[in-house]
Amino acid sequence: MKTKVLVTREVFDEVLEYLSQYFDVTSNPSDVPLDPETLAAKLSDKQGALITLSDRIDAPLLSRCPNLRAVCNIAVGYNNVDLEACRKARVMATNTPGVLDDTTGDFTWVLILATARRLTEAEAHLRNGQWEGWKLKQFLGLDVHHATLGIFGLGRIGQVVARRAVGFEMKIIYHDVRRVPPKIEQACRATFVAKEELLGQADIVTIHVPYSSAAHHLIGKQELERMKPTAILINASRGGIVDDVALIEALRKGTIAGAGLDVFENEPKLNPGFLELKNVVLAPHIASSSKATRLKMAMLAAENLVAALTGGSPPNLLDPF
Ligand code: DGY
C-alpha cells in the first residue's frame, strides 16, 4: 500500500503530479483552510503532510495522528509549527528557506516606495474622482534616495533589501540579535547599531526577523515613539512582530508618517483601524507571491516530504531528533 499524504491547501498541478509518483495524495482543490478539527481528522491516517501557515501543528493535533512522520511547510517562517511537540512525537518538520529571498526583498521595496511616495493614497484620490489637477503641495512624500534605511534582521531577506538600497545611495544601518560577519556587512554596506539608535536615526525602518516569542511586539508603543515623526515602518516578515494596536495609534497621532504592511496580527482578520487610515499601504501577505517563487516554494516543500518519507534526508529539516 502506498504511503498516504495530505496536501492541506491548493498547490500547483506539477507539485501534485510529483507527489503522486511516490504517495497516495489527498489534496484540497477548493483551497478552504482546514479548521483544527478537520485537519486532525484528515491527518489521522496519513504519514505526511504538505502544510501552509494556515495549519497549526501542535501537541493536541499530533496526539491524534499516530502515523504522521513529516510535516513540510510551504513557507520559510514556521511559527505555525510547534517544533518541540514535533520532536516529542518524532515528526520531522521542514521549511523552504532560500528560494523566496529575492522575491520577498523585491516586495519590501514595493512597500518602501509606495509608502514613502504615498502611492495607494494618491491612487485612491484619483480613482474616487477627487483629482482637480496638479498642485505644488499635493501628496508630498519622503525621498528614498540618500535616506537612512534601518534594517531589523540582516539575514537572507534583510541582505537582499540592503543590496537593493545601494542603487538609492542610502545610508544603511542594521540591528540583529548578533552582528553578521564583516564580509556580509561590507557586501551590504551596512553598519551595526543598537536598537534604539536604529529607531532614532532611520527614515525607513524595515523588519526582517523571524517570528518567535522573543520577537513578539519587537515594535510597540515605545519603539514607535523613538522613531522620527517623518519616518515610515515596513513589515513584510510576520504578524505579531509589530503591535498592530500601537501602530494604528501611532499612525493616527502622527507619531510616525506612514507604514507599509504585508503581514498582520490574527491574519486574515485585519484590525479595522488600519482601513480608516490613509497613511498605510496594505497588502494581503503576498511578499513571496511571484509565480516562479511560489512554485519553487511548493516544489521544495514537496521534495522535503519525499525525502522524509522515502528514507532520505530532507534538505530543510528544522529540528533533527
Ligand atoms: C514565508 O515563507 O514565511 C512567507 O511568509 C509565506 O508567504
Side-chain angles (χ1 to χ4, degrees):
M1 214 169 57
K2 262 183 163 177
T3 301
K4 290 182 180 173
V5 301
L6 176 70
V7 178
T8 63
R9 299 292 300 274
E10 186 185 13
V11 293
F12 301 94
D13 289 347
E14 42 271 69
V15 175
L16 289 179
E17 279 158 24
Y18 170 65
L19 287 174
S20 301
Q21 292 170 33
Y22 299 88
F23 309 126
D24 174 358
V25 180
T26 302
S27 63
N28 177 9
S30 67
D31 205 26
V32 177
L34 305 177
D35 60 69
E37 182 54 42
T38 311
L39 181 62
K42 284 190 181 285
L43 272 182
S44 61
D45 63 340
K46 307 290 186 299
Q47 279 84 33
L50 209 65
I51 59 168
T52 73
L53 43 87
S54 62
D55 306 306
R56 174 94 198 124
I57 305 296
D58 55 15
L61 177 121
L62 292 171
S63 69
R64 296 176 59 185
C65 308
N67 302 324
L68 199 61
R69 284 163 33 217
V71 286
C72 299
N73 219 21
I74 308 177
V76 64
Y78 50 89
N79 53 309
N80 55 313
V81 179
D82 180 339
L83 284 189
E84 182 59 29
C86 285
R87 191 181 311 126
K88 282 191 184 140
R90 302 195 70 74
V91 170
M92 287 178 260
T94 67
N95 68 341
T96 60
V99 291
L100 50 83
D101 302 344
D102 280 307
T103 303
T104 304
D106 287 352
F107 194 79
T108 302
W109 277 97
V110 171
L111 290 177
I112 291 174
L113 291 165
T115 308
R117 299 302 302 275
R118 303 171 61 183
L119 180 63
T120 53
E121 186 188 348
E123 184 179 354
H125 180 81
L126 194 66
R127 284 182 186 272
N128 294 340
Q130 292 168 290
W131 191 38
E132 288 168 350
W134 189 93
K135 282 185 194 169
L136 186 68
K137 288 163 74 176
Q138 203 164 39
F139 295 109
L140 299 176
L142 169 76
D143 270 331
V144 170
H145 63 85
H146 298 107
T148 298
L149 178 66
I151 304 178
F152 272 108
L154 202 62
R156 283 183 307 262
I157 296 171
Q159 288 172 35
V160 169
V161 172
R163 290 201 305 269
R164 307 276 193 273
V166 172
F168 287 95
E169 300 176 66
M170 301 177 85
K171 176 179 173 189
I172 305 169
I173 53 179
Y174 81 98
H175 182 75
D176 211 326
V177 281
R178 65 188 69 85
R179 270 184 87 154
V180 300
K183 232 172 111 177
I184 295 177
E185 285 187 352
Q186 278 155 24
C188 295
R189 304 188 200 191
T191 306
F192 182 85
V193 293
K195 179 181 172 181
E196 291 70 26
E197 226 176 303
L198 185 149
L199 291 166
Q201 285 183 18
D203 299 302
I204 298 156
V205 174
T206 184
I207 304 169
H208 301 285
V209 300
Y211 182 85
S212 67
S213 52
H216 185 74
H217 289 184
L218 173 78
I219 303 293
K221 187 171 186 289
Q222 269 185 2
E223 288 74 18
L224 291 161
E225 281 168 0
R226 279 187 185 273
M227 286 173 64
K228 297 180 188 177
T230 49
I232 61 172
L233 176 73
I234 305 298
N235 188 10
S237 58
R238 263 298 176 278
I241 294 176
V242 174
D243 178 343
D244 283 358
V245 171
L247 177 59
I248 289 166
E249 187 59 14
L251 290 167
R252 252 189 214 137
K253 290 200 321 208
T255 310
I256 64 170
L261 308 171
D262 185 48
V263 290
F264 306 90
E265 293 190 280
N266 310 314
E267 286 176 23
K269 286 188 194 129
L270 196 65
N271 187 318
F274 282 124
L275 301 177
E276 291 159 17
L277 293 165
K278 289 189 172 169
N279 53 349
V280 62
V281 174
L282 304 168
H285 205 145
I286 55 167
S288 63
S289 191
S290 73
K291 197 173 169 191
T293 291
R294 285 280 166 94
L295 176 59
K296 280 186 205 161
M297 289 164 67
M299 225 19 166
L300 182 55
E303 284 162 13
N304 276 309
L305 189 57
V306 169
L309 298 183
T310 58
S313 172
N316 308 111
L317 189 58
L318 284 166
D319 196 7
F321 47 79

